[in-house]
């Protein structure tokens, strides 16, 4: 590492890294992202890999992807593969290599044997409840297990028999022998191995004992040459145990653990356990349901890698946990899509518009910019006739004050086309407007006549060429409040609009193509969308509440 390039840290983690490099503690930077493959990756995990990757990149170092798969109960190859796909989609790579914790099973076992031989670990017969009772409280010290003083020979014999499968799950554990009076409860003889007769998704039935995370993690870091073990603040109290394991086993290479605040996103479920519950109970359609903060769910909803990275940059790195407003994430995707995606006309709640003085049978094309703010996206031609659809909200039989859209005897401009004047409307027996009549001014084609009107411009689609579409609109899945999450499911988190009318250009799209539906919001083509059954998911509305709030 060229030390002359140091001197521009942007957060406390980089300050620590630069201090270690200057002092010669490490000659390079090597980080790791260690997800457990027991669910799909969510945006909180994205922050973790973002921190690991950006620190390694800034200092010309390496990043390892290591799956923490030493608990066979809930792990699966499906989750491991999805996490790899999501990391790549976010724009990161593991230039240090891909590793699996289960590949270190023998080395971790050997480390446990070394602790037993040094009299620093013992086999305990207490069950989980009894261990918890012996542990004590924050105010009271714990009590030694009655099995704590077993001889090295007895502990070794029992541990090997644990490995051989002689005991049932929970019948025995291996515990580190540290200090039951330590003020840090994590140091009160923690369990480092447990019995679990469950086939592992990679190693099958080769092992029936598995190391606990707090024991396996520092060993894996040391074996891989990790210099900085970056993790969330919940592991701060575990750091003394992390360092104890490194010292007790006798590793020469000593990684440094540094903690940072995890991402808490307002209104989002940020726990894999709760996310799995929502999936398993059918509250959502799967891990990639666009209402979930999983990376695959955000992708299906239309969020982009760059928007997520920008969001994580704005969130920053801190030590204190805080709640990040969801509107900040919305601001980032709006900002990312504003100039990069084409704009299209889509009528979500259509009513017929009949232009009575338009020549019968006539059809023409009008030219519209794909994105008026970005000329590089070019333009398109749209068919126009005397029979159109307009948005129901763009007409009012009895307009409120200062109404700028279409109403009886009032004029508006049809975007990219002509000025029209409403001459009447038709309603059903309930009073619901089903058809609007208007006349157009043939001399006012957009771009050819500067005549000004008091009304605004409204969108439209041609009845002859428009396409039917289904549109999914989303709101927060969980309502605010306390108590059982399952009792706070928002029944209006998904609104499915069938029979929307969209312009013909939207018939030639691919899954995950994004657009701005003019005056409505940003939408993306769903993965299940087909040419004869179009489906669009709303990514975000046009209103930028976060930016306005900051003014």
């Amino acid at each position: 590492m060229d030390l002359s390039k140091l001197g521009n840290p942007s957060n406390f983690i980089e300050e620590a890294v630069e201090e270690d490099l200057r002092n010669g503690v490490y000659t390079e930077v090597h980080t790791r992202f260690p997800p457990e493959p027991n669910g799909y990756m969510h945006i909180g995990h994205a922050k973790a890999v973002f921190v690991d990757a950006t620190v390694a990149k800034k200092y010309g170092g390496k990043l390892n992807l290591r799956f923490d798969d030493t608990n066979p109960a809930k792990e699966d190859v499906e989750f491991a593969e999805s996490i790899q796909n999501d990391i790549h989609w976010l724009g990161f790579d593991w230039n240090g290599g891909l590793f699996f914790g289960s590949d270190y099973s023998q080395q971790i076992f050997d480390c446990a044997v070394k602790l037993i031989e040094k009299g620093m670990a013992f086999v305990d017969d207490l069950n989980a409840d009894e261990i918890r009772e012996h542990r004590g409280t924050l105010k009271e010290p714990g009590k030694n297990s009655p099995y704590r003083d077993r001889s090295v020979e007895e502990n070794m014999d029992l541990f090997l028999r644990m490995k051989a499968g002689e005991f049932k799950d929970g019948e025995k554990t291996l515990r580190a022998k540290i200090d039951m009076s330590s003020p840090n409860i994590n140091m009160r003889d923690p369990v480092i191995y447990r019995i679990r007769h469950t086939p592992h998704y990679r190693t099958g039935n080769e092992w029936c004992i598995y190391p606990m995370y707090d024991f396996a993690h520092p060993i894996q870091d040391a074996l891989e040459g990790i210099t900085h073990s970056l993790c969330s603040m919940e592991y701060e109290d575990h750091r003394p145990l992390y360092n104890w394991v490194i010292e007790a086993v006798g590793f020469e290479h000593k990684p440094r653990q540094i903690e940072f605040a995890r991402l808490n996103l307002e209104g989002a479920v940020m726990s894999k356990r709760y996310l799995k519950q929502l999936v398993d109970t059918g509250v959502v359609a799967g891990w990639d349901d666009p209402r979930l903060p999983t990376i695959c769910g955000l992708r299906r909803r239309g969020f982009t890698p760059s928007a997520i990275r920008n969001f994580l940059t704005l969130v920053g790195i801190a030590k204190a946990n805080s709640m990040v407003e969801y509107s900040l994430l919305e601001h980032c995707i709006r900002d990312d899509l504003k100039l990069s995606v084409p704009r299209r006309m889509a009528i979500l709640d259509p009513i017929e518009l009949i232009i009575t003085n338009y020549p019968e049978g006539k059809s023409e094309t009008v030219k519209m910019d794909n994105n008026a703010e970005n000329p590089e996206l070019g333009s398109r031609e749209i068919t126009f006739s005397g029979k159109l659809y307009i948005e129901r909200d763009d007409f009012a039989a009895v307009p409120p004050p200062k109404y700028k859209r279409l109403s009886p005897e009032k004029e508006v401009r049809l975007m990219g086309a002509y000025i029209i004047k409403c001459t009447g409307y038709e309603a059903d027996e309930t009073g619901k407007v089903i058809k609007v009549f208007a006349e157009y001014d043939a001399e006012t084609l957009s771009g050819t006549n500067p005549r000004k009107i008091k009304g605004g411009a409204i969108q439209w689609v041609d009845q002859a060429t428009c396409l039917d579409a289904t549109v999914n609109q989303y709101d927060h899945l969980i309502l605010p409040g306390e108590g059982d999450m399952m009792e706070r499911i928002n029944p209006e988190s998904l609104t499915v609009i069938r029979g929307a009318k969209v312009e013909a250009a939207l018939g030639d799209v691919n899954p995950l193509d994004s657009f701005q539906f003019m005056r409505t919001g940003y939408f993306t083509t769903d993965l299940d969308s087909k040419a004869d059954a179009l489906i669009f998911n709303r990514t975000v509305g046009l209103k930028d509440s976060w930016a306005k709030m900051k003014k």
Side-chain angles (χ1 to χ4, degrees), residues 279-431:
V279 173
D280 291 346
T281 56
V283 171
V284 294
W287 286 96
D288 66 347
D289 190 297
R291 291 169 290 179
L292 297 182
T294 53
I295 299 304
C296 55
L298 291 169
R299 179 166 60 242
R300 189 167 188 172
R301 186 161 173 168
F303 283 83
T304 61
S306 54
I308 293 174
R309 292 195 304 269
N310 290 340
F311 167 72
L312 295 172
T313 300
L314 289 174
V315 169
I317 300 173
K319 291 185 178 181
N321 288 322
S322 61
M323 186 66 67
V324 178
E325 294 183 348
Y326 194 87
S327 54
L328 175 57
L329 179 59
E330 293 180 327
H331 162 77
C332 290
I333 187 61
R334 286 192 196 94
D335 191 59
D336 191 62
L337 297 179
K338 180 174 61 176
L339 299 179
S340 64
V341 300
R343 297 174 182 179
R344 297 288 184 257
M345 292 193 290
I347 310 299
L348 305 190
D349 188 4
I351 56 174
E352 287 192 73
L353 172 67
I354 307 300
I355 304 176
T356 56
N357 66 333
Y358 195 84
E360 184 71 27
K362 179 183 177 181
S363 178
E364 61 182 300
T365 59
V366 298
K367 189 175 182 180
M368 291 189 69
D369 292 331
N370 284 326
N371 188 325
E373 297 182 69
N374 184 3
E376 293 183 3
L377 292 183
S379 60
R380 68 196 186 282
E381 291 189 340
I382 306 172
T383 63
F384 182 90
S385 71
K387 294 182 179 181
L388 310 174
Y389 287 112
I390 61 172
E391 195 71 58
R392 183 170 299 279
D393 286 347
D394 284 338
F395 175 78
V398 181
K402 299 182 181 180
Y403 190 70
K404 295 289 187 180
R405 286 167 278 178
L406 193 60
S407 59
E409 301 302 317
K410 300 296 184 181
E411 288 185 316
V412 297
R413 177 175 288 280
L414 296 173
M415 289 181 176
Y418 299 95
I419 292 173
I420 62 170
K421 181 178 181 179
C422 178
T423 57
Y425 65 92
E426 181 181 321
D428 62 17
E429 61 276 5
T430 67

Side-chain angles (χ1 to χ4, degrees), residues 284-290 296 299-301 468-472 474 494 498 506-507 509-513 524-537:
V284 294
W287 286 96
D288 66 347
D289 190 297
C296 55
R299 179 166 60 242
R300 189 167 188 172
R301 186 161 173 168
D468 288 334
T470 296
V471 176
N472 298 318
Y474 304 102
L494 169 62
R498 294 181 173 84
L506 286 168
V509 296
N510 297 309
L512 302 183
D513 283 350
T524 195
T525 314
D526 188 70
L527 295 174
D528 293 333
S529 182
K530 300 177 182 177
D532 59 349
L534 296 172
I535 305 173
F536 298 98
N537 300 327

Side-chain angles (χ1 to χ4, degrees), residues 200-217:
H200 190 277
Y201 79 103
R202 295 187 74 245
T203 60
N205 293 309
E206 182 179 352
W207 294 85
C208 66
I209 57 171
Y210 292 91
M212 302 298 290
Y213 178 82
D214 279 346
F215 184 61
H217 179 58

Side-chain angles (χ1 to χ4, degrees), residues 66 69-70 99-117 159 163 174 192-193 202-203 206-207 209-212 215-225 245-246 248-251:
R66 182 208 310 139
D69 60 352
T70 56
F99 303 91
F100 293 84
S102 54
D103 290 342
Y104 299 109
S105 297
Q106 186 61 51
Q107 292 102 312
I108 299 171
F109 175 83
D110 292 342
C111 290
V113 168
K114 183 178 292 188
L115 293 187
I116 293 173
E117 292 173 341
F159 189 51
K163 180 178 181 292
L174 181 69
I192 58 175
Y193 259 91
R202 295 187 74 245
T203 60
E206 182 179 352
W207 294 85
I209 57 171
Y210 292 91
M212 302 298 290
F215 184 61
H217 179 58
I219 293 172
Q220 294 161 355
D221 281 351
L223 290 172
E224 291 178 11
V245 171
I246 295 295
V249 173
F251 282 108

Side-chain angles (χ1 to χ4, degrees), residues 442-510:
E443 303 300 320
T444 59
L445 181 63
S446 184
T448 65
N449 189 314
R451 180 161 78 86
K452 296 182 179 181
I453 57 175
K454 293 183 179 180
I458 66 173
Q459 58 179 329
W460 54 275
V461 294
D462 186 356
Q463 289 190 30
T465 59
C466 69
L467 304 171
D468 288 334
T470 296
V471 176
N472 298 318
Q473 300 201 99
Y474 304 102
D475 200 348
H476 288 306
L477 179 60
I478 308 298
L479 294 171
E482 300 179 354
D484 188 354
M485 173 191 72
M486 301 300 287
E487 295 178 358
R488 293 186 287 115
I489 302 296
N490 181 5
E492 298 179 355
S493 62
L494 169 62
T495 301
V496 180
I497 300 173
R498 294 181 173 84
K501 307 292 183 180
V502 301
E503 63 173 90
L506 286 168
D508 184 22
V509 296
N510 297 309

